[in-house]
Structures are given as C-alpha cells and as structure tokens.
Amino acid sequence: MASRVPADRFLFHAFLGLLLWMPLPFGSNVAWASSLMEAWVFLIAGLWLVQYYRGKVSLNQPFVRAWPVTACLLATLLWVVVQALPLPAGVLGLLSPRAFEIHNTTHSYPSLSLDVYATRQAGLQTLAYLLFFCLTLLLVNNEPRIKRLALAIILGGLFQAAYGSLMTLSGLEYGFFIHKPGGGVATGTFINRNHLAGYLEMCLAAGVGLML
C-alpha cells in the first residue's frame, strides 16, 4: 500500500526553494528581490491557511509552544504599523514633539514616522519575516524535513563558496549577473563580503549539526 502524501508537501518544497533563492539576488537586499521574497512568503502562507481551513493541515506543538517568540515578533510588527498611522495633532505632539513640529512645518503626513513609505516597506518586510518563522515551525515538522532543510542550507553555502572563489580567482568579478566594482575579495552573489561570511558561518553550523 502506497504511503499517504502529506498535504503540505508542495508547500514544503516551495519553502525550500525560497530558502535557496533568497541569498542569490544580493542576499535579497535590494528592493525588487525583497519584494519578490515577501510575495513568495505571503503566497506560501496563504496556501497553508487555505489548507488549514479545509482541515488538511493543523497547528503542531512546536508552533504552539513558540508563542512567546511569535508574540514578540508580532509586537514588533504592530509597533512598526503604529508608527505609520495618521495621528491627531494632540496625540502626535504628546508622543513625539519633534515629529509634530516637522510635520506641522512641512504639512506632511501626521505620523510618528518621518518617512511613511519606508516605514510601510519595513512593516511588510517584518510581516514576511514573521510568517517565514511561523512557516518554518509548521512545515519543518519531522526529522526527514529537518535534514532536507539542513541540506538545502548546506547546498546554498557550497554554491556561494564555489561561486565567490571562481569569480575572484578568474577575475570575472560578477555578483548576481552584474559586474561588481572593485575586486580581489570574494562576495558570492552578496553585496558585501561580510554578508557572505555570515551566511557561510550559518551554513557551516548547519553542516556540523547534520554530521552530528
């Protein structure tokens, strides 16, 4: 008798695809890549909610027990959202006299934030990170999937290390399909060499964990 295919298998594979994709376009540190990452996360989360509504998936124990962390992330998101909301002059003056003075002088959007567009963008990004955290708990829900997750991280690190070394040693010096200024320093597809180093450190930790 064939084993039953989990209802969220496709979502898990989409999640792994996202994990492999995010480091490639400059570490998703540019506007278009960040927006694509957010849309990808929102789509996976939306499809999971549809399956939850249809009774095909359920909340697992790790997700439920992680509520303090989820609550902290949600509180951070709410604080970002509050900063972008329009506030009455009296409330704004009480909370931030300097912001009230600037908005009153420039006749701009009366909020705690002085750059509402950037704050809204940060809110969307924070929501995406919150959902990514939740999806990790909900989709990586057994030992085989944990191993696949670690393997995907390791593969991403191997690619970045090999690509960064090849670009530096060959003198081509391309990042993500774009010639990068300067040279002689491995950055992979990231913008900064420190970003590559931090990513490789995490990949190395995942590799050690997988060996153990």
Side-chain angles (χ1 to χ4, degrees):
M1 182 177 179
S3 59
R4 183 172 178 269
V5 177
D8 60 352
R9 186 177 69 169
F10 171 76
L11 297 181
F12 174 70
H13 290 157
F15 177 83
L16 291 183
L18 174 61
L19 192 66
L20 289 170
W21 164 259
M22 286 194 298
L24 295 179
F26 312 107
S28 294
N29 196 31
V30 291
W32 69 267
S34 178
S35 299
L36 179 59
M37 179 271 293
E38 293 165 9
W40 199 328
V41 172
F42 296 154
L43 179 60
I44 297 175
L47 292 176
W48 189 92
L49 288 174
V50 170
Q51 290 194 342
Y52 178 77
Y53 176 77
R54 297 173 64 182
K56 293 187 176 182
V57 294
S58 60
L59 302 179
N60 54 31
Q61 188 177 12
F63 176 82
V64 175
R65 295 181 63 179
W67 71 265
V69 180
T70 307
C72 290
L73 293 174
L74 184 59
T76 303
L77 173 62
L78 291 177
W79 172 237
V80 174
V81 171
V82 166
Q83 293 183 68
L85 294 177
L87 298 175
V91 176
L92 181 60
L94 179 65
L95 295 177
S96 180
R98 182 57 177 166
F100 171 76
E101 179 183 348
I102 293 174
H103 287 305
N104 191 45
T105 302
T106 59
H107 303 286
S108 54
Y109 190 82
S111 65
L112 290 172
S113 173
L114 299 180
D115 189 341
V116 178
Y117 175 77
T119 303
R120 288 172 178 170
Q121 290 295 106
L124 282 174
Q125 198 170 58
T126 304
L127 175 59
Y129 289 147
L130 170 60
L131 293 177
F132 189 87
F133 172 75
C134 294
L135 288 171
T136 304
L137 296 174
L138 293 169
L139 296 176
V140 190
N141 50 20
N142 54 49
E143 185 175 342
R145 288 190 176 186
I146 293 175
K147 291 182 177 179
R148 291 177 189 174
L149 176 70
L151 184 59
I153 295 173
I154 294 169
L155 289 176
L158 286 174
F159 171 80
Q160 290 290 343
Y163 182 82
S165 299
L166 177 63
M167 291 296 104
T168 302
L169 295 175
S170 65
L172 294 175
E173 298 295 356
Y174 272 82
F176 188 71
F177 299 110
I178 296 177
H179 191 273
K180 65 181 182 181
V185 177
T187 61
T189 62
F190 292 89
I191 297 176
N192 187 285
R193 63 180 181 180
N194 294 326
H195 298 171
L196 173 64
Y199 180 70
L200 293 181
E201 288 174 354
M202 291 187 291
C203 295
L204 179 62
V208 173
L210 190 59
M211 286 190 298
L212 293 177

